[in-house]
């Protein structure tokens, strides 16, 4: 090995001097802040007793519904420094009282951090996260989380348990509603946007919230879509699919990470050293703090991983868990575990540092209370406007046989169990949203005749059916707003059948028999199985749970003042039996073949076993979803030119430019989501049949031609194999550009 000489040292000194001279002032300031914070953390840590250190690791919950005075015992615990953070304290006077005790009477004046699940809005509710993912518009997602941060921080909430970054390939899972969908690239773009929005450009500002990337890791891989269930993952899936959005979140500076309830390959996430330390700290370089999910630390007993709470605390402490949510095993056992040599004391210091660092970064030491001039206003006009735009951009037009937009003067009959349910259209995780401030379709369409028909999505009372049918007969068009109540998706609300609940299909089928044009508008937390009656509908519009401004947005879309411009962030299954389904699957040795496929109805009686195509498909559901990933219609017409590439060879260190020209050939302005997919033909492990690599959402005025450019480098095609090796080998990559994952405008390039 080469020796380090004094000449080298001199050269190094000169090099560092030049680097220092070249460092931009903003980076210098950042570095100074970082050093400053680390010095303050060290100073504080040196003064803290072991009990006070353990106190910082405690996140204590209050139920949102808890009323009445704060118990003196709780205040006393804060006074002694036994609690570091709270969730769900929603009485602002309680927050102030607790914070006052912490900073004025607590041992070192360490402020508390107040947390809440502010997932897709605080008061002004935006579409559910799966809906926001359907917007394919990171800017809009950033605005939504900015609005949420402004409103929530105005009452003192400086930590939100969002964004949820769990990819999901199974719509049975109730939490698909909170997920960014099934694609790691789209999810990563959204992860950055959420974090920029929540955390802002300067986390010290009192209008920001620390974000929490959750749930680490692979919670969305729950077997069969059953919540909390086991995740079994190869290295390849873990690194290529489930990890990328978290990697992006860490790169974007996410403050905190939450562990997931599930086990990953046999080890519950909360006690999983591989994912909490080896991956999150060592590989991703995360320097914020990790919080467990609600009681997930002590649930390691039910998992059959820890024999009791003490052992659970030991496993979590050794694995890399900084803060414990609600359960109290760290409080009860951590000091004993350290005394017994089962957990190193340095580990406790490491956790306290991570938590204090985050509190300093949030500026809580300088400004522990909400300032009097905080600009956050609930339901501010620009918040409502942004929420309405978000609904329009999230809504996916799945079918339109020339029905929409409606001509002015059309006599509309509005019906269905989601047409006037303010609370329900907000969707899951909207503790602070208010049904009576929500604008429903009925509110927004006062001129439409309205009979609700069913008063909630599972309602089985046919009492209003006759009235519905009579009113429908007198109308030009029927708009049926159906779907799922908010409670039917979200945590622990998995469903095995994906059809419309209750007797909505009965009412729909009676309406269909009237032979009037009919639009089905869905408000739901997941794709719904509409396969049996899709052909009878003239239009199908998926609004997800749209939030506060669902009604006005629907009005604008119905009348063409706005164009639904969402695209599916998940494959839409034909039926639950097809799940899990995802577009970026592998080919298999026997990929489905349209020429050989014989559906169940067409199998000749007495057919010989091997006489029919032996490929990967279902006899009764085929091999494609009802609507593919990336799909969505618009009101306009856009033509794609061929995909052009600046070179057909890509080498390390260079980039290629891909170009496609779009022309709006229709008469109205229209929005298109242009999607670029790749297929690596052969790999050292098999590669997915398609992978999203880039997208752009563009609006084209009538007659406009626009050339879109995408730059790709070798890094875009690198992947992890089963040995954890990252890279790409020489070979051919097929590139496709189009309006969903099935389009085949392709070119190939060679990697050398
Ligand atoms: C449990 C959920 O899994 C998590 O997402 C949420 O943030 C916590 N509870 C706190 O409410």
């Amino acid at each position: 090995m080469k020796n380090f000489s004094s000449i080298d040292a001199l050269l190094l000194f000169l090099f560092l001097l030049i680097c220092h001279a070249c460092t931009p002032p903003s980076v210098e300031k950042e570095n100074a802040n970082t050093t400053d914070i680390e010095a303050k953390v060290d100073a504080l840590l040196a003064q803290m007793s072991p009990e006070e250190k353990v106190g910082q690791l405690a996140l204590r919950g209050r139920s949102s519904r808890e009323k009445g005075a704060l118990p003196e015992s709780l205040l006393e615990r804060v006074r002694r420094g036994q609690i570091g953070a709270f969730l769900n304290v929603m009485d602002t006077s309680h927050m102030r009282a607790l914070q006052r005790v912490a900073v004025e009477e607590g041992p070192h004046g360490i402020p508390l951090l107040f947390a809440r699940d502010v997932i897709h809005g605080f008061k002004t509710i935006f579409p559910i996260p799966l809906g926001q993912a359907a917007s394919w518009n990171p800017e809009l997602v950033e605005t939504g989380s900015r609005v949420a941060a402004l409103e929530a921080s105005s009452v003192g909430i400086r930590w939100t348990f969002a964004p949820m970054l769990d990819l999901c390939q199974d719509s049975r899972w109730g939490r698909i509603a909170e997920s960014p969908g099934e694609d790691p690239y789209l999810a990563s773009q959204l992860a950055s946007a959420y974090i920029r929005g929540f955390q802002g450009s300067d986390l010290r500002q009192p209008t920001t919230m620390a974000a929490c990337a959750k749930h680490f890791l692979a919670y969305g891989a729950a077997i069969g879509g059953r919540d909390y269930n086991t995740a079994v993952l190869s290295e390849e899936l873990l690194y290529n699919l489930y990890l990328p959005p978290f990697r992006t979140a860490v790169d974007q500076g996410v403050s905190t990470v939450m562990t997931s309830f599930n086990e990953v390959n046999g080890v519950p996430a909360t006690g999983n050293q591989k994912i909490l330390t080896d991956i999150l700290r060592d590989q991703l370089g995360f320097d914020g703090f990790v919080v467990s999910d609600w009681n997930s630390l002590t649930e390691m007993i039910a998992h059959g991983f820890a024999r009791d709470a003490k052992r659970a605390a030991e496993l979590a402490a050794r694995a890399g868990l900084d803060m414990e949510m609600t359960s109290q095993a760290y409080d009860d056992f951590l000091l004993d575990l350290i005394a017994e040599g089962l957990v190193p004391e340095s580990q406790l210091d490491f956790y306290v540092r991570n938590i204090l660092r985050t509190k300093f970064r949030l500026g809580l030491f300088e400004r522990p209370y909400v300032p009097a001039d905080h600009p956050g206003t609930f339901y501010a006009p620009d918040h409502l406007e942004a929420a309405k735009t978000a609904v329009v951009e999230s809504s996916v037009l799945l079918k339109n046989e020339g029905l929409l937009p409606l001509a002015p003067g059309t006599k509309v009959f509005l019906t269905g169990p989601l047409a006037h349910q303010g609370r329900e259209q907000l969707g899951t995780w909207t503790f602070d949203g208010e049904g009576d401030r929500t604008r429903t379709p009925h509110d927004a369409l006062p001129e439409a005749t309205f009979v609700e028909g069913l008063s909630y999505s599972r309602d089985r009372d046919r009492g209003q059916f006759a009235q519905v049918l009579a009113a429908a007969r007198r109308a030009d068009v029927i708009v049926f707003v159906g779907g799922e109540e908010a409670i039917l998706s979200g945590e622990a609300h998995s469903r095995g059948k994906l059809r419309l609940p209750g007797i909505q299909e009965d009412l729909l089928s009676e309406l269909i028999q009237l032979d009037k044009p009919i639009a089905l508008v869905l408000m739901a937390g997941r794709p719904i199985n509409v396969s049996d009656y899709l052909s009878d509908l003239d239009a199908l519009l998926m609004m997800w749970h749209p939030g506060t401004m669902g009604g006005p947005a629907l009005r604008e879309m119905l009348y063409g003042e706005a164009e639904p411009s969402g695209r599916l962030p998940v494959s839409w299954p034909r039926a639950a039996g097809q799940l899990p389904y995802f577009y970026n699957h592998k080919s298999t040795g026997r990929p489905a073949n349209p020429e050989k496929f014989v559906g169940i109805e067409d199998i000749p009686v007495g057919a010989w076993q091997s006489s029919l195509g032996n490929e990967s498909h279902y006899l009764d559901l085929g091999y494609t979803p009802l609507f593919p990933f990336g799909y969505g219609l618009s009101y306009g017409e856009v033509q794609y030119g061929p995909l052009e590439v600046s070179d057909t060879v890509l080498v390390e260190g260079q980039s290629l430019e891909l170009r496609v020209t779009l022309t709006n050939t229709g008469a109205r302005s229209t929005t298109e989501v242009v999607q670029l997919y790749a297929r690596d033909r052969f790999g050292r492990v098999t590669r997915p049949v398609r992978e999203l690599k880039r997208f752009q959402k563009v609006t084209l005025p009538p007659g406009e031609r626009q050339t879109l450019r995408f730059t790709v480098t070798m890094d875009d095609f690198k992947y992890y194999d089963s040995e954890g090796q990252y890279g790409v080998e020489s070979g051919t990559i097929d590139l496709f550009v189009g309006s969903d994952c099935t389009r085949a405008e392709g070119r190939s390039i060679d990697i050398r």
Side-chain angles (χ1 to χ4, degrees), residues 292-347:
S292 58
D293 202 343
W294 190 284
N295 289 353
S296 68
L297 191 153
T298 47
E299 284 174 12
M300 290 200 287
I301 303 168
H303 270 287
F305 190 62
R307 76 185 88 81
D308 54 25
K310 183 173 179 185
R311 174 74 177 149
E314 179 191 339
L315 289 166
R318 286 169 39 168
L321 180 82
D322 302 78
M323 185 182 274
E324 183 181 11
M325 187 193 295
T326 57
S327 56
Q328 309 199 4
Y330 273 4
D331 281 11
D332 294 343
F333 304 109
L334 200 49
L335 292 180
D336 291 347
L337 289 164
I338 291 172
E340 291 160 27
L342 293 169
V343 172
E345 195 175 352
S346 57
Q347 197 72 4

Side-chain angles (χ1 to χ4, degrees), residues 103-378:
V103 299
E104 291 179 22
E105 299 170 20
H108 309 283
I110 303 174
L112 294 164
L113 178 53
F114 292 100
R116 179 83 161 160
D117 287 285
V118 181
I119 309 293
H120 51 113
F122 183 61
K123 291 292 179 185
T124 306
I125 303 295
F126 282 65
I128 53 170
L130 187 60
Q132 293 193 46
S135 76
W136 291 61
N137 185 345
E139 261 175 51
L140 181 148
V141 167
E142 182 176 341
T143 306
S145 41
R146 187 84 287 277
V147 166
L150 253 177
E151 293 191 358
S153 62
S154 76
V155 300
I157 297 163
R158 294 295 309 283
W159 182 20
T160 179
F161 298 135
M164 176 169 130
L165 301 177
D166 302 311
L167 291 195
C168 177
Q169 305 173 331
D170 194 328
S171 319
R172 291 173 296 183
W173 193 45
R175 301 199 81 169
I176 193 171
E178 303 168 52
S179 99
E182 74 189 30
D183 181 76
Y185 178 76
L186 176 60
S188 299
Q189 301 301 306
L190 302 175
S192 300
Y194 274 115
I195 292 158
R196 285 197 303 271
F198 287 133
Q199 297 197 166
S201 53
D202 179 2
L203 195 56
R204 285 169 309 174
Q205 294 304 317
T207 51
T208 64
M209 294 192 290
C212 181
K214 71 184 190 185
H215 305 84
F216 205 62
L217 186 67
Y219 187 30
I223 287 180
R226 293 186 293 279
D227 207 357
Y228 314 122
N229 228 288
T230 308
V232 183
L233 296 183
S234 62
E235 292 292 285
E236 209 197 320
L237 275 182
L238 193 155
Y239 280 97
N240 294 327
L241 206 71
Y242 291 97
L243 195 59
F246 288 95
R247 186 189 294 279
T248 307
V250 172
D251 291 346
Q252 189 65 45
V254 72
S255 297
T256 70
V257 167
M258 187 186 293
T259 66
S260 53
F261 284 125
N262 55 289
E263 62 168 71
V264 181
N265 296 338
V267 180
T270 305
N272 195 317
Q273 179 162 359
K274 173 174 172 179
I275 64 173
L276 297 187
T277 297
D278 303 352
I279 297 180
L280 185 62
R281 298 281 178 194
D282 299 346
Q283 293 171 24
L284 305 195
F286 177 62
D287 73 350
F289 70 84
V290 181
V291 62
S292 58
D293 202 343
W294 190 284
N295 289 353
S296 68
L297 191 153
T298 47
E299 284 174 12
M300 290 200 287
I301 303 168
H303 270 287
F305 190 62
R307 76 185 88 81
D308 54 25
K310 183 173 179 185
R311 174 74 177 149
E314 179 191 339
L315 289 166
R318 286 169 39 168
L321 180 82
D322 302 78
M323 185 182 274
E324 183 181 11
M325 187 193 295
T326 57
S327 56
Q328 309 199 4
Y330 273 4
D331 281 11
D332 294 343
F333 304 109
L334 200 49
L335 292 180
D336 291 347
L337 289 164
I338 291 172
E340 291 160 27
L342 293 169
V343 172
E345 195 175 352
S346 57
Q347 197 72 4
L348 173 60
D349 286 352
F350 176 68
Y351 296 151
V352 179
R353 270 180 212 284
N354 295 332
I355 293 164
L356 293 179
R357 180 182 303 124
T358 307
K359 290 184 174 182
F360 276 112
R361 285 179 177 167
L362 277 160
L364 285 173
F365 285 86
E366 299 97 68
R367 244 187 313 212
Y369 305 104
V370 179
D373 59 352
H374 190 291
T377 309
F378 300 159

Side-chain angles (χ1 to χ4, degrees), residues 32 43 90 97 339 355 632 669:
M90 287 314 292
I355 293 164
S669 169

